[in-house]
Amino acid sequence: MEPLLRIEDLQVNFHTTQGVAQAVCGVNYHIDPGEVLGVVGESGSGKSVTALAVLGLVPHPGRIAGGRIRYRERDLLNLPAKELRKVRGDRISMIFQEPMISLNPAFTIENQLTEALRTHRSISKQEARNRAVEMLAMVDIPDPAKRIRDYPHHLSGGMRQRVMIAEALLLDPDVLLADEPTTALDVTVQASVLDLMRRLNERIGTAIMLITHNLGVVAESAKRVVVMYCGRVVEQGAVGEIFGNAAHPYTRGLLKSIPRPGGSELYEMKGIVPSILELPQGCPFHPRCPQAMPRCVREQPPWRELAAEHHALCWLYE
Ligand SMILES: Nc1ncnc2c1ncn2[C@@H]1O[C@H](COP(=O)(O)OP(=O)(O)O)[C@@H](O)[C@H]1O
Ligand SMILES: [Mg+2]
């Protein structure tokens, strides 16, 4: 099967006053039609910047310094702005981590949803409204024909998140990039929003890239998992391999840090994510790695295949 979206050797730099920071450094991964892909890693690993690059939305002072992003037969990095705008929001949509760029408080839910529809499709106001009500029902908003007249502040956090998902799916996209879609929600609401996304994926077949700093979140949702650290993919594999047979010491650390109900003291990985302006030599994880060897300090680790479609960026498998 041809991947739907393929990120190849992506490099994104931020040109800051303190120097050039490599936020995304040779990232490769793909998403297949209709699948749920988990992208995990601590805060600052480059998950959001990679997703923003897909849509041509890397913020200033960031620059894409290399690589390709293939969507079907097109390279999104070389698409004219007008065509990219058509792909964005129509074929590929995103739920942002930043609450700022989410719902506009000055407009009713109806305004926000129908505007997106009417920008991309030539349909009447009434048709747009019907479609919006139908989507709100699909994301389990009770009494959608009435709720559509509300302003965002009338809704709870969980309901607002459902509206954002509805908005992202209105145009029936091929891929939804969901950047920390449940992080701002409390735990019980998180579970129901994740469950909703899973059901929508099964029902309408939109591929979902589920980005999260919490490996626990992808356990039940994703088919495959990509683990990122310091702008690199350090491991990727089927969800069963990652949870049952994690190869990279970073992934193992993340797994041990997942809170468990009734679990005792929470494991904390030693050290902190280094600044991308001062990345250590060799493997960027070596200062925190319980299995670091002398060569990890000196040389960049290789990308090794461990099993079918299970890879890790680590000297342990040399
Ligand atoms: N606007 C920006 N200016 C400078 N650095 C940035 C900017 N946005 C992101 N970065 C840096 O890029 C790196 C990756 O960030 P990000 O993709 O947001 O991480 P994640 O989503 O995994 O938490 C981080 O080191 C972050 O500090
Ligand atoms: Mg992020």
Side-chain angles (χ1 to χ4, degrees):
M1 178 168 41
E2 266 297 292
L4 192 57
L5 185 69
R6 188 203 285 276
I7 297 164
E8 292 173 9
D9 199 24
L10 184 69
Q11 323 260 350
V12 183
N13 296 335
F14 283 95
H15 296 255
T16 71
T17 47
Q18 294 108 293
V20 177
Q22 297 188 311
V24 175
C25 195
V27 160
N28 287 288
Y29 65 82
H30 71 271
I31 182 161
D32 287 323
E35 84 167 328
V36 179
L37 175 74
V39 179
V40 302
E42 285 163 293
S43 181
S45 325
K47 307 180 300 292
S48 296
V49 171
T50 303
L52 290 169
V54 170
L55 294 177
L57 296 175
V58 171
H60 178 80
R63 254 183 249 160
I64 294 176
R68 276 164 307 280
I69 297 175
R70 291 187 200 285
Y71 165 67
R72 297 187 185 277
E73 70 288 352
R74 283 169 279 185
D75 179 1
L76 298 186
L77 297 184
N78 288 318
L79 221 53
K82 197 173 155 213
E83 271 184 61
L84 182 60
R85 270 199 303 275
K86 250 192 275 168
V87 170
R88 176 166 75 218
D90 191 325
R91 307 301 33 262
I92 304 177
S93 67
M94 183 159 177
I95 306 175
F96 294 94
Q97 179 178 3
E98 287 296 318
M100 246 173 52
I101 22 183
S102 48
L103 296 171
N104 188 330
F107 294 103
T108 62
I109 306 303
E110 175 168 358
N111 286 145
Q112 344 225 351
L113 296 191
T114 54
E115 161 152 334
L117 268 169
R118 299 196 66 200
T119 309
H120 288 267
R121 301 277 187 275
S122 51
I123 56 174
S124 72
K125 237 179 170 150
Q126 188 55 43
E127 285 170 315
R129 188 171 184 282
N130 292 345
R131 171 74 180 146
V133 170
E134 181 195 357
M135 263 333 287
L136 290 179
M138 210 187 286
V139 297
D140 301 335
I141 303 257
D143 204 356
K146 195 159 156 229
R147 284 282 83 80
I148 200 167
R149 293 198 290 265
D150 285 347
Y151 286 87
H153 67 266
H154 291 133
L155 304 173
S156 68
M159 284 297 154
R160 274 202 290 267
Q161 197 60 336
R162 284 165 195 271
V163 171
M164 304 229 320
I165 295 170
E167 182 169 12
L169 296 175
L170 269 176
L171 297 156
D172 200 11
D174 290 332
V175 195
L176 171 64
L177 312 178
D179 193 0
E180 309 267 5
T182 63
T183 300
L185 305 174
D186 66 52
V187 179
T188 46
V189 184
Q190 272 193 20
S192 69
V193 170
L194 284 172
D195 178 59
L196 166 69
M197 296 188 46
R198 208 158 41 230
R199 281 185 286 121
L200 289 172
N201 165 262
E202 280 168 17
R203 182 160 164 198
I204 58 185
T206 298
I208 299 177
M209 188 189 288
L210 181 59
I211 301 172
T212 170
H213 64 278
N214 181 353
L215 193 44
V217 162
V218 303
E220 284 157 44
S221 309
K223 189 180 123 221
R224 286 189 308 125
V225 180
V226 166
V227 183
M228 288 186 67
Y229 186 70
C230 288
R232 292 149 174 83
V233 174
V234 296
E235 182 162 3
Q236 77 177 31
V239 73
E241 282 282 301
I242 297 291
F243 280 84
N245 208 6
H248 200 288
Y250 179 63
T251 312
R252 291 187 199 143
L254 287 180
L255 282 166
K256 281 205 276 182
S257 318
I258 299 175
R260 280 180 178 60
S264 49
E265 217 176 303
L266 205 58
Y267 172 85
E268 231 185 287
M269 246 185 290
K270 74 167 186 183
I272 52 160
V273 180
S275 156
I276 50 172
L277 280 162
E278 295 169 293
L279 280 184
Q281 285 276 306
C283 172
F285 187 60
H286 85 254
R288 305 176 71 188
C289 183
Q291 289 166 278
M293 303 172 290
R295 80 186 310 179
C296 307
V297 180
R298 295 189 310 267
E299 294 171 74
Q300 303 261 352
W303 184 239
R304 285 284 174 262
E305 178 161 29
L306 309 161
E309 299 196 49
H310 182 192
H311 295 77
L313 188 73
C314 185
W315 280 119
L316 285 174
Y317 304 97
E318 190 54 6

